[in-house]
């Protein structure tokens, strides 16, 4: 990406000044984008049944899942998109109306901003993997219920086991609190490196792009978080 493009993406984020320290292309090998579309009728979302399940069977299990009420109102489950061997895994909350329609996470206005944020650190959507805490849209975009997150959790856990990312970027309150098992506000969770699960995967929290669209004055903090993410991916000191 040339300097002009970078500046345009940063402008889209509302960020005026920044310095790129190094070429980000080393962060991940480029691989073609993948949208998983397999479908099956039944799939219990319990952790034991997912042990040893491979990527495509996992995608099929998500697509056919009827473990909670959300399957009755969804158009389709949204497994995730990107490179299943990515260094960076972005985890949002749940599909919205656009995602439910298109079967891909972060394709609406928040997704456009997420793309711009990632491009600002030199990463295209295809180079990372993007998933959500919930695979199905909660009606009216209400907050996920505890039982829905519990039902869906084994899917994300297995995705993380298979992807083995170097870093998880958790966007927004629901994602951060669900992954870190806490009820701390995003403003207090961001700006530091947490660790996820037994694999101890570095995890950085930042604001949800939908929140940034409503509160653009917070974009500077998200930019700091993204720079921390890039340093972590490069194995640099934070
Ligand atoms: N918001 C999310 O958290 N995830 C999506 O996929 C879309 C919007």
């Amino acid at each position: 990406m040339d300097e002009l493009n970078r500046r345009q993406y940063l402008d889209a984020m509302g960020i005026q000044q920044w310095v790129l320290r190094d070429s980000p292309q080393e962060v991940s090998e480029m691989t073609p984008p993948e949208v998983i579309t397999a479908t099956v009728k039944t799939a219990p979302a319990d952790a034991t049944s997912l042990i040893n399940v491979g990527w495509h069977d996992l995608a099929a299990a998500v697509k056919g899942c009827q473990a909670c009420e959300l399957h009755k109102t969804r158009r389709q489950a949204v497994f995730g998109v990107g490179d299943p061997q990515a260094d960076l895994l972005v985890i949002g909350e749940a599909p919205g109306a656009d995602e439910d329609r298109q079967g891909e996470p972060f394709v609406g206005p928040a997704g456009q901003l997420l793309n711009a944020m990632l491009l600002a650190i030199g990463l295209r959507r295809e180079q990372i993997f993007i998933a959500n805490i919930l695979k199905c849209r909660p009606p009216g975009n209400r907050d996920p219920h505890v039982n829905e997150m519990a039902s869906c959790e084994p899917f994300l856990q297995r995705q993380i086991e298979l992807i083995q990312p170097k870093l998880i970027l958790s966007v927004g309150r629901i994602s951060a609190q669900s992954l870190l098992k806490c009820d701390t506000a995003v403003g207090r969770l961001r700006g530091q490196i947490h660790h996820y699960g037994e694999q101890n995967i570095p995890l950085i929290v930042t604001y949800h792009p939908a929140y940034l669209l409503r509160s653009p004055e917070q974009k500077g903090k998200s930019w700091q978080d993204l720079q921390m993410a890039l340093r972590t991916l490069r194995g640099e000191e934070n």
Side-chain angles (χ1 to χ4, degrees), residues 134-230:
L134 286 193
K135 308 306 186 201
C136 297
R137 181 190 182 209
N141 299 342
R142 63 157 169 76
D143 281 358
H145 292 163
V146 171
N147 70 303
E148 293 160 357
M149 291 194 280
S151 294
C152 234
E153 192 174 25
F155 290 135
L156 184 61
Q157 280 171 348
R158 187 67 188 142
Q159 284 181 305
I160 294 170
E161 279 170 15
L162 289 166
I163 297 170
Q164 294 187 295
K166 284 190 183 151
L167 175 68
I168 294 173
L169 180 67
S170 167
V171 298
R173 177 179 64 87
I174 298 288
S175 168
Q177 294 181 349
S178 167
L179 292 169
L180 295 174
K181 308 287 181 212
C182 68
D183 58 6
T184 311
V186 170
R188 293 191 52 212
L189 292 171
R190 60 160 295 277
Q192 55 188 299
I193 300 189
H194 306 268
H195 288 89
Y196 172 83
E198 287 172 13
Q199 309 102 305
N200 235 18
I201 300 168
L203 184 153
I204 291 175
V205 173
T206 196
Y207 293 110
H208 195 288
Y211 170 75
L212 293 175
L213 289 172
R214 296 191 301 273
S215 306
E217 71 282 359
Q218 304 287 10
K219 285 180 179 175
K221 289 185 191 158
S222 251
W223 175 235
Q224 289 168 10
D225 300 333
L226 290 172
Q227 287 178 303
M228 180 184 274
L230 188 56

Side-chain angles (χ1 to χ4, degrees), residues 78 91-96 99 104-108 110-111 130-132 171 208-210:
V78 178
I91 302 179
E93 177 177 330
E99 291 76 21
E104 185 174 327
F106 283 102
V107 290
I130 308 176
N132 282 311
V171 298
H208 195 288

Side-chain angles (χ1 to χ4, degrees), residues 8-183:
Q8 282 169 348
Y9 290 120
L10 286 170
D11 283 348
M13 285 184 64
I15 310 277
Q16 302 305 319
Q17 297 287 328
W18 72 298
V19 177
L20 184 68
R21 303 172 83 181
D22 211 338
S23 165
Q25 289 301 333
E26 302 151 16
V27 166
S28 174
E29 288 298 310
M30 288 179 10
T31 41
E34 185 181 7
V35 181
I36 309 286
T37 52
T39 54
V40 292
K41 282 276 179 283
T42 58
D46 83 82
T48 49
S49 69
L50 296 176
I51 290 170
N52 296 329
V53 166
W55 190 253
H56 289 281
D57 287 343
L58 181 63
V62 167
K63 290 287 172 187
C65 181
Q66 300 183 355
C68 78
E69 293 290 297
L70 294 181
H71 80 273
K72 295 180 183 165
T73 48
R74 74 179 180 214
R75 286 193 198 194
Q76 56 190 315
V78 178
F79 179 68
V81 70
D83 179 357
Q85 295 178 323
D87 289 341
L88 177 62
L89 172 61
V90 174
I91 302 179
E93 177 177 330
D98 294 317
E99 291 76 21
D100 180 60
R101 202 174 303 115
Q102 295 185 39
E104 185 174 327
F106 283 102
V107 290
Q112 300 307 310
L113 180 56
L114 179 65
N115 291 346
M117 291 164 66
L118 293 167
L119 277 167
I121 55 166
L123 288 173
R124 286 179 294 104
R125 204 175 150 85
E126 298 81 21
Q127 292 175 279
I128 64 164
F129 198 82
I130 308 176
N132 282 311
I133 297 292
L134 286 193
K135 308 306 186 201
C136 297
R137 181 190 182 209
N141 299 342
R142 63 157 169 76
D143 281 358
H145 292 163
V146 171
N147 70 303
E148 293 160 357
M149 291 194 280
S151 294
C152 234
E153 192 174 25
F155 290 135
L156 184 61
Q157 280 171 348
R158 187 67 188 142
Q159 284 181 305
I160 294 170
E161 279 170 15
L162 289 166
I163 297 170
Q164 294 187 295
K166 284 190 183 151
L167 175 68
I168 294 173
L169 180 67
S170 167
V171 298
R173 177 179 64 87
I174 298 288
S175 168
Q177 294 181 349
S178 167
L179 292 169
L180 295 174
K181 308 287 181 212
C182 68
D183 58 6

